[in-house]
Amino acid sequence: MKFRNYLKVKSLEEFEQAIAAVEGSIVLLAGGSDLVVQARDNRFENHTVIDVLNIESLRQIEETDEYLEIGACVTHEEIAQSPLVKRFAPILAEASLSVGSLQIRNHSTIGGNIGNASPAADTLAPLAVMGAEVIVLSNGTERQVKLLDIIEGPYRTNLGDRDLIVKLLVPKQAETVRYNYTKLGRRKALSISRMTIAALLELDSEGVVTKFEMTVGSTFPKPMLFPDISAMLVGKQPTKDDISEVARSLSDKIPKIAGVRASTRYKQPVCRRLSERILKELIEGEQDA
Ligand SMILES: Cc1cc2nc3c(=O)[nH]c(=O)nc-3n(C[C@H](O)[C@H](O)[C@H](O)COP(=O)(O)OP(=O)(O)OC[C@H]3O[C@@H](n4cnc5c(N)ncnc54)[C@H](O)[C@@H]3O)c2cc1C
């Protein structure tokens, strides 16, 4: 594994000085659980590595009126165990807990999960349904962008090599918002997702849906939201037929968007049956404690 140079920075000021001083290509390193594996073929031998893992301001989870602000270098285990995340974004806590093993979760970060942009990344579907945004430090200025606008395709973002994900802004979810995160893998432990489903649903006192987002992960080239699927339930007291129709429409998106592949024969019917079950549970209120 070869790199041109390695620099470790401990603050945003040091980061900005480093990127200004380096000539040629840069690659950012956080926990390294994706990057170190990829670097084995020496694809980064002409790159300077800037290690951002120890930038203290990127390691905080904070709360504002509207958002949970999660630093890019917060690890999956810290997210999974955070009382703030469990309270205001429990679907993300659950997704982070499903990442790899404890060893991987202790070291790998949410910023790296986004930066790597794997279609199988576990946090992306939950972040998408919550409408998460990202603060990116770019050319000395911070800009706020939608997560869905950063990821362009499998392992491809529109971030430049000197752009740093600083933090995520995750809209705080009310306690009344029910959620489900389901991960299907090839085996139970240490499994990369074959398919995930992330759903948020809120009902008023009459049983009318006031909020509904549902998406499938590890299936499309990038995380996606479906306003047409949301519109099928919002404003309704869902019937059994409504639930079946949503499950059918969501699973029909698999061949439409991802094309017909060997896995479609498995994923499409599984998505349909699982979505139906998840929706039924969410509507009946069988929420895990
Ligand atoms: C054994 C094993 C099991 C795994 N299991 C899972 C799993 O179940 N689910 C899952 O989702 N993932 C899994 N992964 C993948 C990996 O752990 C995650 O994608 C992790 O979140 C990456 O974070 P990192 O800090 O290690 O990123 P790194 O490897 O350091 O970086 C990944 C990419 O993101 C970029 N990057 C990192 N930080 C920033 C930043 N702040 N700003 C801009 N770009 C940045 C890097 O340049 C690089 O391109 C697994 C990996 C391994 C090795």
Side-chain angles (χ1 to χ4, degrees):
M1 185 166 36
K2 291 183 192 151
F3 300 109
R4 195 168 72 154
N5 198 0
Y6 169 89
L7 300 172
K8 190 176 201 160
V9 293
K10 292 199 176 136
S11 65
L12 288 178
E13 294 70 35
E14 282 184 25
F15 172 77
E16 297 206 72
Q17 285 162 8
I19 57 168
V22 170
E23 283 177 16
S25 300
I26 286 176
V27 63
L28 304 184
L29 174 74
S33 61
D34 287 316
L35 193 84
V36 169
V37 177
Q38 291 157 5
R40 283 188 192 146
D41 63 6
N42 291 332
R43 71 180 79 170
F44 299 118
E45 64 182 331
N46 295 319
H47 290 62
T48 296
V49 176
I50 301 190
D51 182 343
V52 298
L53 188 65
N54 291 312
I55 300 181
E56 200 45 45
S57 59
L58 269 55
R59 305 205 56 145
Q60 318 291 331
I61 301 178
E62 285 166 348
E63 178 192 0
T64 65
D65 285 348
E66 200 179 340
Y67 294 112
L68 273 189
E69 299 194 349
I70 304 179
C73 291
V74 176
T75 66
H76 292 295
E77 188 61 17
E78 286 164 343
I79 290 172
Q81 302 306 337
S82 158
L84 277 178
V85 181
K86 284 184 188 174
R87 176 163 175 209
F88 293 115
I91 191 170
L92 178 63
E94 213 163 284
S96 283
L97 189 62
S98 80
V99 171
S101 59
L102 179 61
Q103 213 177 5
I104 292 288
R105 288 195 299 278
N106 268 335
H107 211 64
S108 62
T109 66
I110 190 148
N113 213 218
I114 296 168
N116 191 52
S118 161
D122 278 309
T123 64
L124 299 184
L127 289 171
V129 292
M130 288 189 291
E133 306 206 2
V134 179
I135 300 288
V136 178
L137 179 64
S138 193
N139 292 323
T141 332
E142 288 192 350
R143 59 190 168 96
Q144 184 171 333
V145 266
K146 291 193 170 80
L147 171 78
L148 295 186
D149 292 342
I150 285 192
I151 299 176
E152 294 189 325
Y155 304 98
R156 222 175 57 243
T157 68
N158 59 17
L159 299 175
D161 69 343
R162 284 158 163 79
D163 287 351
L164 176 73
I165 300 170
V166 174
K167 61 185 165 190
L168 277 117
L169 304 184
V170 180
K172 283 158 78 175
Q173 305 299 305
E175 266 175 41
T176 45
V177 176
R178 301 170 184 182
Y179 67 93
N180 184 289
Y181 178 72
T182 298
K183 170 171 174 169
L184 295 180
R186 284 181 201 275
R187 54 182 187 218
K188 224 165 175 182
L190 229 176
S191 169
I192 303 293
S193 301
R194 279 200 91 185
M195 183 165 78
T196 61
I197 294 183
L200 298 179
L201 183 131
E202 190 179 39
L203 300 166
D204 69 11
S205 54
E206 311 290 314
V208 174
V209 176
T210 51
K211 172 179 180 142
F212 174 53
E213 296 288 353
M214 190 167 199
T215 195
V216 188
S218 210
T219 297
F220 304 126
K222 56 186 210 154
M224 304 193 76
L225 273 187
F226 301 114
D228 56 326
I229 297 286
S230 300
M232 291 173 80
L233 291 191
V234 173
K236 283 190 181 167
Q237 283 176 324
T239 61
K240 222 174 142 205
D241 286 348
D242 291 329
I243 292 174
S244 302
E245 197 48 28
V246 169
R248 191 188 57 74
S249 303
L250 187 65
S251 57
D252 283 354
K253 294 204 181 277
I254 296 176
K256 275 189 205 146
I257 297 171
V260 178
R261 299 153 172 244
S263 63
T264 313
R265 229 178 43 190
Y266 158 81
K267 284 192 175 182
Q268 196 176 357
V270 170
C271 175
R272 184 171 177 172
R273 256 173 259 134
L274 208 55
S275 301
E276 207 164 330
R277 194 173 81 201
I278 289 167
L279 278 171
K280 198 166 165 288
E281 285 174 7
L282 286 176
I283 289 164
E284 288 171 0
E286 290 169 19
Q287 185 74 70
D288 290 342

